[in-house]
Amino acid sequence: MSRKVVRSSKFRHVFGQAVKADQCYDDIRISQMTWDSNFCSVNPKFVAMIVDASGGGAFMVLPLSKTGRIDMSYPTVCGHTGPVLDIEFCPHNDNIIASGSEDCSVMIWEIPEGGLTSPLTDPVVKLEGHSKRVGILSWHPTAHNVLMSAGCDNVVILWNVARGDAVVRIDTVHTDLIYSACWNRDGSWILTSCKDKTLRVLDPRKGTVLYEKEKPHEGSRPVRAVFVSDGKILSTGFSRMSERQVALWDPKNFGEALTLQELDTSSGVLLPFFDPDTGVVYLCGKGDSSIRYFEVTDEAPYVHYLSMYSSKESQKGMGYMPKRGLEVNKCEIARFYKLHERKCEPIVMTVPRKSDLFQEDLYPDTVGPEPSAEADEWFEGKEAPPNLISLKDGFVATTKAKEFKVHKSLLKTTTASAGNQHDSSGEVQSLRKEVKDLKEALEELTTRVKELESKH
């Protein structure tokens, strides 16, 4: 009889907690679209949410600090002519966000420092190459200005955003609607799940299939899949009896699942979020009111159930904060931005620890914002392992020089003349605002001086 009954894990007691009401973003009309994307993207500066818009599609970008009730007239990013289906912030520049829409286009936007002061209608770059709506976007994790988009035309396109070019077009592999597409940690593989009930691991530069698995889940409902540690794949789907399942696969030996667990009989698609630093995967069901989390380890049964965060209201979408946006001194290992009908509520996942010192075991070096390669180098075959940073003193934003480099490379669009005008409009806006603020400060000081003079 072995004495060790419970598996020891430092994440066994991780608990989720919603923030106080005044820390939420209230009175936002979240999009009613029935598309299975996250509808939300966050980074250490901004939170972006797809919202309902009359005539075309729009999303809202708020500085993280702008909590509370959001005014109805708050400016949105509204350049698409059809509803927006997916948005994602660039991992290498917190002011750049991509959006995909029913109007078949992908647009790249630059959000001014401090957020929008007027509606943004002109993208920095417009990428056109899909013939049907674009529902999936994913930035390359380590190469600068590489974006993957997947549309309802069953095509995956890899873009060089700085030039506005579609460099790789994967259009013969998928025979049906693509449900999900993501990169591995260093961006050397792509993983897609498709309505033809096949998981595929692709070589992104060649567009060829490296490994594939038919029917990872028996059911006909959508399958989602992400890469987890050591190149393994975690998939969520449905059994023939419509029970939700989670499975772990080794792509080099795709025959049999390493583990397959049944969860419940709910109908919402499970969106997986994997944290490579802790090995914890979070499953958020669309329409659920809970977030389940599991630890992925090397020994059987590989996927260990940890716990569940439950609340009363169901989620319409979910944003996941990158590691560098977390509060390390509070032992926060993940933060989600949960979308309700009318608000966005941050949920904090914490490991309970007494010490407020930096916990090295919870925060190994994580992926930083510095890219490992430029787009052209990566497409030519350069390997790009992630540049890691320590979170010991919290993450500090990079210098202005880095951001300027990004502006310049984004200006090298093929539509240079149009691009220049669009680009400068964002900068002009922020300069105008700065001038206005300075004028106000000057007026205040002048009145103070007058008051003091009159007293003497």
Side-chain angles (χ1 to χ4, degrees):
M1 183 67 184
S2 81
R3 284 182 305 153
K4 190 174 167 193
V5 185
V6 180
R7 192 180 66 89
S8 67
S9 162
K10 55 191 169 212
F11 303 113
R12 218 175 73 220
H13 302 292
V14 167
F15 67 97
Q17 208 172 13
V19 299
K20 295 191 176 76
D22 61 347
Q23 300 281 294
C24 295
Y25 306 87
D26 278 318
D27 226 9
I28 297 166
R29 292 195 306 269
I30 301 299
S31 170
Q32 301 291 322
M33 291 294 295
T34 51
W35 187 251
D36 283 326
S37 80
N38 302 346
F39 279 31
C40 179
S41 183
V42 288
N43 67 25
K45 278 186 190 172
F46 300 108
V47 53
M49 297 154 278
I50 302 177
V51 292
D52 259 343
S54 50
F59 60 96
M60 186 177 268
V61 181
L62 301 171
L64 284 190
S65 56
K66 192 173 171 54
T67 50
R69 194 175 160 277
I70 306 300
D71 198 281
M72 293 282 277
S73 60
Y74 195 84
T76 56
V77 182
C78 48
H80 284 286
T81 53
V84 177
L85 299 177
D86 198 12
I87 48 176
E88 191 173 4
F89 276 111
C90 173
H92 311 301
N93 181 344
D94 288 342
N95 297 55
I96 299 289
I97 185 167
S99 59
S101 158
E102 271 197 7
D103 63 13
C104 310
S105 71
V106 177
M107 294 186 182
I108 312 294
W109 308 87
E110 184 173 358
I111 309 300
E113 284 296 325
L116 297 178
T117 48
S118 59
L120 194 55
T121 52
D122 292 333
V124 182
V125 189
K126 186 173 180 181
L127 306 172
E128 291 176 310
H130 285 284
S131 57
K132 289 190 180 169
R133 57 187 186 164
V134 184
I136 300 167
L137 295 175
S138 182
W139 288 95
H140 193 288
T142 59
H144 195 206
N145 287 336
V146 177
L147 178 71
M148 164 169 65
S149 64
C152 295
D153 48 6
N154 315 338
V155 176
V156 175
I157 299 181
L158 303 188
W159 304 89
N160 179 338
V161 173
R163 300 180 186 283
D165 293 345
V167 183
V168 178
R169 191 180 169 89
I170 305 172
D171 51 9
T172 54
V173 171
H174 302 94
T175 58
D176 210 330
L177 183 69
I178 299 165
Y179 285 139
S180 73
C182 67
W183 302 91
N184 64 347
R185 192 170 157 97
D186 64 357
S188 56
W189 287 357
I190 288 175
L191 169 64
T192 63
S193 66
C194 179
K195 198 173 178 178
D196 61 12
K197 296 194 177 182
T198 309
L199 281 184
R200 295 179 176 87
V201 177
L202 309 173
D203 178 321
R205 299 181 185 102
K206 297 187 184 122
T208 51
V209 179
L210 300 171
Y211 310 103
E212 63 182 5
K213 169 69 185 167
E214 285 183 19
K215 286 205 176 170
H217 299 273
E218 292 285 333
S220 55
R221 303 285 321 279
V223 169
R224 285 298 179 111
V226 289
F227 281 108
V228 293
S229 30
D230 305 330
K232 292 190 182 73
I233 289 169
L234 183 122
S235 64
T236 63
F238 294 81
S239 70
R240 199 171 273 149
M241 308 296 292
S242 286
E243 289 173 305
R244 292 202 288 193
Q245 298 175 320
V246 57
L248 191 71
W249 308 89
D250 181 353
K252 296 185 174 71
N253 181 11
F254 243 152
E256 201 61 38
L258 296 170
T259 176
L260 181 90
Q261 300 176 23
E262 310 227 313
L263 298 175
D264 58 14
T265 52
S266 189
S267 63
V269 175
L270 285 167
L271 309 174
F273 296 92
F274 179 67
D275 177 0
D277 302 342
T278 57
V280 177
V281 65
Y282 303 86
L283 302 182
C284 310
K286 217 142 189 214
D288 287 15
S289 52
S290 60
I291 301 174
R292 287 186 178 79
Y293 34 108
F294 300 79
E295 189 172 1
V296 181
T297 62
D298 296 341
E299 73 263 6
Y302 302 107
V303 179
H304 307 270
Y305 175 72
L306 289 171
S307 184
M308 181 160 86
Y309 164 79
S310 300
S311 60
K312 293 195 181 92
E313 291 186 61
S314 62
Q315 54 231 18
K316 294 181 72 74
M318 198 62 88
Y320 180 61
M321 174 67 83
K323 256 307 185 346
R324 54 197 175 88
L326 302 181
E327 296 196 30
V328 290
N329 54 352
K330 294 186 179 166
C331 295
E332 178 184 2
I333 60 162
R335 191 187 314 153
F336 290 94
Y337 284 73
K338 170 177 164 179
L339 303 184
H340 301 247
E341 294 263 312
R342 300 280 309 190
K343 73 169 179 180
C344 171
E345 174 186 49
I347 293 162
V348 175
M349 298 284 175
T350 314
V351 178
R353 295 258 169 114
K354 286 198 172 76
S355 165
D356 54 0
L357 297 172
F358 180 70
Q359 308 288 316
E360 290 196 4
D361 59 331
L362 297 184
Y363 302 103
D365 286 359
T366 191
V367 179
E370 275 300 316
S372 316
E374 287 299 322
D376 294 335
E377 302 173 319
W378 182 79
F379 280 117
E380 281 161 16
K382 180 177 175 183
E383 289 304 311
N387 282 325
L388 302 182
I389 54 168
S390 165
L391 293 175
K392 184 152 190 178
D393 304 311
F395 170 71
V396 184
T398 45
T399 55
K400 278 281 178 238
K402 161 82 181 61
E403 288 180 10
F404 183 61
K405 189 176 85 183
V406 173
H407 292 316
K408 274 205 308 202
S409 58
L410 273 170
L411 283 173
K412 277 188 251 160
T413 54
T414 42
T415 53
S417 55
N420 285 341
Q421 292 165 1
H422 297 167
D423 255 50
S424 54
S425 69
E427 284 174 27
V428 169
Q429 268 185 6
S430 56
L431 284 170
R432 276 189 191 144
K433 190 176 176 306
E434 212 171 295
V435 169
K436 193 177 147 201
D437 292 349
L438 287 168
K439 275 185 182 166
E440 282 171 8
L442 192 64
E443 277 172 24
E444 268 180 40
L445 287 168
T446 321
T447 45
R448 276 194 63 191
V449 169
K450 278 181 184 163
E451 279 172 19
L452 289 168
E453 280 177 346
S454 62
K455 277 181 190 170
H456 290 295

